[in-house]
Amino acid sequence: MQKTIGGLGEFALIRRVTSQFPRTDDVILGPGDDAAIVASPDGRTVATTDLLVEGRHFRREWSSARDVGHRAVAQNFADVVAMGARPTGLLIGFAAPADLPLAWAEEFTLGVRDECAIAGGAVVGGDMAGSDTLTIAVTALGDLQGRAPVRRDGARPGDVVAYTGHLGLSAAGLALLTEGVDGPAACLDEHRRPSPPYASGPEAARLGATAMLDVSDGLAQDLGHVCRGSEVGIDLDPALLAPEPALTEAVRILGGGAPRALALMVSGGEDHALAATFPADTVLPDHWHRIGVVRAADPDDRYVTVAGKAPEQTGWDHFRQG
């Protein structure tokens, strides 16, 4: 029995992996040909792509292969639903050292399969290559179902700002792992396997969201894209940013108290919550939490403030942080 992907070989590995993926009604032609064919009833296709590089986005000593599979799907389909679309297809590029254990690749596949079952999409193709660094590249596709896409440039002064999902748990989980401290399982789990609120993206579109995005690099950082795209400012109310019990417990362990909990919610990322702006009179379901307002801004004032002040940290920048 082969124990590494190099021992098994590329094409045998492809057959072994793709046999694990179910088909959905969106898939006209799945893996096995030069390209896949995915239905697009709306006539438009939402497309996004993302990378996971070992040592940069995940560490095998902290996350299982199945965790990484879940994360690869979640962080891409989160971008699809942030446009108000329904996930349909995934293409996965998998580059790895030849001595990577075959069991790791198989467990990764199961994580991908299981997260696709949650999100509603399917793997339709991809590629494999040898690489010194384990790298996973994912392209995700989605269907707008006849709705207009919810972009970043539609927010208007007077709109309310709201989010759904988790804020700060993943960043707290990373801090706990970095310091080698055991902590609330909810924080560690959210870092290893983000849980985007997939159904809430299309829901927000139906509710009339004027702008939306997923929180991958930090709430303030990501809402800053809305500010620049919409030529507005956003002010967040710290009194409305209530930490979840798991975040409060993590901060008790890590130190820093309420200010650190707020900072993790404002500047932490990778929970893949959804943040959106809505007309002020919108009746939002209980799982959408109002946290601020959109304000008019001149060209020098298009940024996010917390209680009228710029946050000390806004979020992640891949080329400024290690």
Side-chain angles (χ1 to χ4, degrees):
M1 181 176 179
Q2 303 296 342
K3 295 183 177 180
T4 67
I5 62 173
L8 183 64
E10 176 186 358
F11 299 107
L13 179 60
I14 290 173
R15 288 192 296 271
R16 194 163 184 151
V17 166
T18 56
S19 67
Q20 300 297 315
F21 298 135
R23 302 289 176 86
T24 67
D25 292 341
D26 297 300
V27 183
I28 297 171
L29 179 64
D33 218 305
D34 288 318
I37 302 174
V38 180
S40 181
D42 178 87
R44 298 165 296 172
T45 298
V46 173
T48 184
T49 189
D50 213 341
L51 288 169
L52 290 90
V53 180
E54 184 177 14
R56 185 76 174 185
H57 302 100
F58 67 92
R59 291 169 57 171
R60 274 189 266 173
E61 63 266 35
W62 288 352
S63 299
S64 70
R66 193 174 288 213
D67 290 335
V68 179
H70 278 273
R71 173 188 280 268
V73 176
Q75 70 183 49
N76 281 275
F77 274 156
D79 283 331
V80 168
V81 301
M83 299 296 292
R86 176 182 64 86
T88 56
L90 282 179
L91 296 124
I92 300 180
F94 188 85
D99 62 359
L100 181 76
L102 177 58
W104 197 97
E106 292 179 323
E107 285 296 311
F108 169 80
T109 301
L110 295 178
V112 169
R113 180 201 66 187
D114 292 347
E115 191 66 29
C116 279
I118 296 170
V123 175
V124 299
D127 192 20
M128 292 185 179
S131 170
D132 291 337
T133 302
L134 178 55
T135 302
I136 299 152
V138 181
T139 296
L141 308 174
D143 175 33
L144 287 164
Q145 299 177 297
R147 294 182 295 271
V150 185
R151 297 167 35 159
R152 298 178 176 185
D153 58 0
R156 297 293 178 262
D159 285 352
V160 298
V161 182
Y163 83 92
T164 186
H166 304 291
L167 287 179
L169 295 192
S170 179
L174 176 59
L176 291 164
L177 290 167
T178 300
E179 296 188 17
V181 179
D182 194 18
C187 295
L188 300 176
D189 292 347
E190 196 63 31
H191 178 69
R192 291 171 173 140
R193 298 187 186 185
S195 54
Y198 295 116
S200 296
E203 174 189 59
R206 292 191 295 270
L207 288 169
T210 53
M212 182 163 56
L213 36 60
D214 91 303
V215 182
S216 55
D217 295 324
L219 179 65
Q221 180 100 303
D222 289 322
L223 285 176
H225 302 316
V226 172
C227 290
R228 289 183 288 277
S230 302
E231 299 183 355
V232 297
I234 286 176
D235 191 45
L236 302 178
D237 184 347
L240 299 177
L241 284 161
E244 296 179 43
L247 180 56
T248 300
E249 175 62 14
V251 169
R252 186 192 66 78
I253 296 169
L254 294 166
R260 186 167 189 181
L262 178 62
L264 287 169
M265 293 185 72
V266 170
S267 62
E270 296 193 318
D271 289 296
H272 297 287
L274 294 178
T277 59
F278 298 89
D281 59 354
T282 304
V283 178
L284 295 175
D286 289 343
H287 56 268
W288 280 95
H289 310 288
R290 295 181 182 232
I291 54 173
V293 295
V294 178
R295 53 181 169 77
D298 60 40
D300 297 322
D301 187 32
R302 293 171 186 164
Y303 53 80
V304 177
T305 56
V306 181
K309 298 179 180 179
E312 292 185 9
Q313 293 180 314
T314 57
W316 182 261
D317 184 318
H318 283 279
F319 295 104
R320 293 182 178 176
Q321 292 162 289

